């Protein structure tokens, strides 16, 4: 079976984790700090905070912003549940909006959904393709939208407008107008989950981009404290002679990255450029093969302003119904190729249906979803595997559609 997205684990990864294990320090420590520094260098930024997931990153961002019951946060309908769940965790209301044909959040739909209760927008770089950052920024900076903004906390007042948060779970290494994605939104949350381009098994990192008004080093310190129960010292600092005393300044979370995770991340990051090149080669091979077929709607993954991180290859089958797409997936599976669907839209999930969301209100989201098939993309996928995937897709589509 050709798997969908196995992690790249080789002797280098094993040696790095073994070294961390043998050091005797396995929770947050020197390797996490080094990974944070290396990531900051890679992303051309001053401060990064590493955590145990992108979800945790978004939770800490909303916590820092002081999001609470009565607040609204705008989220695309086409995303993984994490993007909306984090809003629910705050007791706030996720306002779902439709997306464009390119899968990314519709700025028109955002505009129509803004109210005086709107405190933040969480956009999602689906599949690694950056959203229309400049259009979103223009919207939230526009005088009429700023006039609607009604801050509840000191931080919200200091920001002075709707906060722009990026769910950048997919987009590490992607660029928007020549810069990495984390340089666009006020804060961005990257994921290093096992299926992601750059993994630490589970993991994530928040990148800050509000330097004009805030001190990034101070925000990083606050996020570190919030990620460890609000404790003023982490385990490593407490382990120094005579340094056992600490305080707890908030009822914080528990979502720190461990050195075992960072040990994987250090190896992944060191060779990430090669990972991106390999992923691009696979994307290009798929596009070249499928562009010969009228039924294929090839994903756009490079434009004048945007370059993807080649995270997910989202193929759509023109004129396919949801049932036909499901049948195609079944047949591809019978040919020993694992594929996936990204995503089951949020309004189709029971929890959100029970809150009154209806997929009929998000026509483009459903249109994208009903005919979408995500194909395997990973470092160890050989040319022969790529051929097998291509043939399995072509045969399965032609069996079902014609
Ligand atoms: C769009 C999106 N957002 C958020 C997440 C959550 O990432 P993590 O598992 O690191 O919390 C994912 C993970 O699949 C995702 O795809």
């Amino acid at each position: 079976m050709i798997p969908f997205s196995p992690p790249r684990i080789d002797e280098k990864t094993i040696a790095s984790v073994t070294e961390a294990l043998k050091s005797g320090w396995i929770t947050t420590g020197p390797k996490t700090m080094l990974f944070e520094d290396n990531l900051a260098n890679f992303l051309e930024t001053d401060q990064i905070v590493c955590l145990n997931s992108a979800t945790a990153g978004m939770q800490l961002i909303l916590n820092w912003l002081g999001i609470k019951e009565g607040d609204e946060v705008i989220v695309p309908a086409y995303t993984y549940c994490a993007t909306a769940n984090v809003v629910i965790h705050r007791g706030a209301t996720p306002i779902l909006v439709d997306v464009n044909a390119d899968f990314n959040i519709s700025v028109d739909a955002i505009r129509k959904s803004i109210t005086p209760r709107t405190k933040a927008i969480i956009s999602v770089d689906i599949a690694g393709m950056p959203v229309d950052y400049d259009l979103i920024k223009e919207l939230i900076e526009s005088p009429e939208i700023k006039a609607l903004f009604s801050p509840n906390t000191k931080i919200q007042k200091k920001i002075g407008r709707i906060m722009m948060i990026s769910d950048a779970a997919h987009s590490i290494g992607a660029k928007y107008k020549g810069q990495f994605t984390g340089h666009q939104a006020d804060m961005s949350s990257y994921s290093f989950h096992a299926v992601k381009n750059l993994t630490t098994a589970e993991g994530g990192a928040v990148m800050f981009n509000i330097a004009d008004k805030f001190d990034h080093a101070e925000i990083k310190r606050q996020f570190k404290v919030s990620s460890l129960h609000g404790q003023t010292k982490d385990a490593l600092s407490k382990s120094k002679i005579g340094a056992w005393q600490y305080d707890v300044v908030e009822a914080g979370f528990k979502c720190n990255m461990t050195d075992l995770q960072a040990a994987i991340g250090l190896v992944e990051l060191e060779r990430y450029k090669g990972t991106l090149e390999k992923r691009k080669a696979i994307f290009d091979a798929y596009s070249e093969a499928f562009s010969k077929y009228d039924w294929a709607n090839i994903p756009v993954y490079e434009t004048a302003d945007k370059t993807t991180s080649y995270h997910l290859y989202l193929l759509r089958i023109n004129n396919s119904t949801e049932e036909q797409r499901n049948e195609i997936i079944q047949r591809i599976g019978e040919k020993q190729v694992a594929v996936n669907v990204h995503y089951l839209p949020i309004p189709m999930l029971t929890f959100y249906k029970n809150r009154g969301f209806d997929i009929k209100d998000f026509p483009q989201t459903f249109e994208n979803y009903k005919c979408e098939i995500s194909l395997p993309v990973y470092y160890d996928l050989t040319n022969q595997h790529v051929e097998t995937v291509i043939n399995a897709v072509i045969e399965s589509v032609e069996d079902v559609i014609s």
Side-chain angles (χ1 to χ4, degrees):
M1 186 84 177
I2 295 179
F4 178 68
S5 180
R8 182 181 177 193
I9 297 171
D10 59 13
E11 288 310 318
K12 259 190 128 170
T13 322
I14 293 166
S16 182
V17 176
T18 305
E19 186 193 304
L21 284 168
K22 284 185 173 168
S23 78
W25 194 269
I26 56 175
T27 186
T28 311
K31 287 203 182 292
T32 305
M33 284 185 241
L34 181 62
F35 184 49
E36 278 174 347
D37 287 348
N38 291 359
L39 256 181
N41 273 339
F42 172 76
L43 291 168
E44 297 166 347
T45 185
D46 57 349
Q47 300 289 347
I48 286 278
V49 67
C50 282
L51 301 163
N52 68 6
S53 67
T55 305
M58 291 189 282
Q59 287 170 325
L60 291 192
I61 294 170
L62 296 179
N63 176 57
W64 178 82
L65 188 60
I67 293 295
K68 58 172 179 39
E69 196 179 338
D71 293 337
E72 293 178 353
V73 178
I74 294 176
V75 170
Y78 202 96
T79 181
Y80 183 57
C81 62
T83 326
N85 283 357
V86 293
V87 180
I88 301 280
H89 298 163
R90 302 293 317 162
T93 308
I95 304 295
L96 299 185
V97 301
D98 210 355
V99 296
N100 297 319
D102 69 359
F103 292 98
N104 274 329
I105 193 163
S106 156
V107 180
D108 272 346
I110 295 176
R111 182 181 292 108
K112 287 179 191 138
S113 302
I114 290 174
T115 76
R117 288 183 295 280
T118 310
K119 297 293 182 292
I121 296 165
I122 311 181
S123 62
V124 183
D125 296 327
I126 285 283
M129 192 64 170
V131 295
D132 295 317
Y133 281 107
D134 278 357
L135 293 180
I136 301 175
K137 281 189 234 176
E138 228 172 84
L139 176 67
I140 59 179
E141 292 283 1
S142 68
E144 64 275 21
I145 297 296
K146 270 179 126 172
L148 271 184
F149 184 63
S150 163
N152 286 333
T153 67
K154 270 192 195 157
I155 287 176
Q156 290 172 15
K157 206 175 251 175
K158 198 163 164 186
I159 296 175
R161 54 157 172 73
I162 295 169
M163 182 170 176
M164 189 174 172
I165 301 167
S166 172
D167 176 342
H170 298 177
S171 72
I172 187 128
K175 287 195 165 172
Y176 180 79
K177 298 196 172 168
Q179 284 185 308
F180 288 116
T181 46
H183 291 272
Q184 302 303 323
D186 296 316
M187 291 191 195
S188 302
S189 191
Y190 289 109
S191 174
F192 308 133
H193 176 267
V195 301
K196 297 297 189 285
N197 285 15
L198 190 163
T199 189
T200 58
E202 296 283 353
V206 173
M207 177 167 158
F208 313 111
N209 185 48
I210 41 178
D212 291 351
K213 292 178 179 164
F214 296 90
D215 174 356
H216 287 175
E218 172 56 20
I219 296 178
K220 175 174 172 169
R221 195 195 60 74
Q222 288 175 12
F223 271 55
K224 287 263 175 192
V225 168
S226 297
S227 75
L228 252 181
H229 287 299
Q231 220 174 264
T232 50
K233 276 186 196 164
D234 64 15
L236 189 65
S237 329
K238 278 168 61 188
S239 71
K240 305 279 183 299
I241 295 167
W244 64 270
Q245 292 195 36
Y246 65 94
D247 193 9
V248 169
V249 292
E250 65 172 294
F253 298 77
K254 181 64 175 66
C255 52
N256 51 309
M257 177 176 276
T258 69
D259 270 22
L260 294 185
Q261 292 167 306
I264 302 173
L266 283 165
V267 174
E268 290 273 288
L269 185 60
E270 194 182 278
R271 59 196 186 190
Y272 191 52
K273 209 166 153 267
T275 303
L276 285 176
E277 281 162 9
K278 177 67 191 268
R279 298 184 81 95
K280 174 176 165 42
I282 297 168
F283 268 55
D284 289 344
Y286 285 152
S287 288
E288 196 190 326
F290 297 128
S291 59
K292 302 183 186 96
Y293 297 88
D294 288 344
W295 48 257
N297 182 348
I298 308 289
V300 174
Y301 48 89
E302 269 167 26
T303 68
D305 290 339
K306 304 179 185 182
T307 310
T308 184
S309 61
Y310 310 97
H311 179 50
L312 295 170
Y313 191 90
L314 306 178
L315 178 68
R316 278 171 290 178
I317 312 301
N318 286 325
N319 305 318
S320 164
T321 63
E322 190 180 4
E323 293 71 27
Q324 284 172 319
R325 186 275 313 274
N326 294 348
E327 179 60 26
I328 294 168
I329 288 179
Q330 177 65 25
R331 289 182 190 226
I332 295 173
E334 285 161 10
K335 296 181 194 348
Q336 301 303 304
V337 174
V339 294
N340 229 312
V341 173
H342 291 88
Y343 283 94
L344 245 174
I346 293 191
M348 293 176 76
L349 306 172
T350 299
F351 177 81
Y352 288 93
K353 279 196 286 196
N354 289 345
R355 288 180 68 100
F357 291 109
D358 185 339
I359 190 65
K360 289 197 187 71
D361 298 326
F362 307 92
Q364 189 63 54
T365 292
F366 186 73
E367 196 57 33
N368 292 346
Y369 152 78
K370 77 176 188 4
C371 57
E372 192 276 327
I373 304 174
S374 310
L375 305 186
V377 183
Y378 54 91
Y379 188 82
D380 293 319
L381 197 72
T382 63
N383 290 345
Q384 206 179 344
H385 289 146
V386 170
E387 273 309 304
T388 305
V389 174
I390 290 169
N391 291 334
V393 171
I394 293 170
E395 284 167 27
S396 305
V397 172
E398 302 217 317
D399 281 354
V400 173
I401 295 283
S402 54

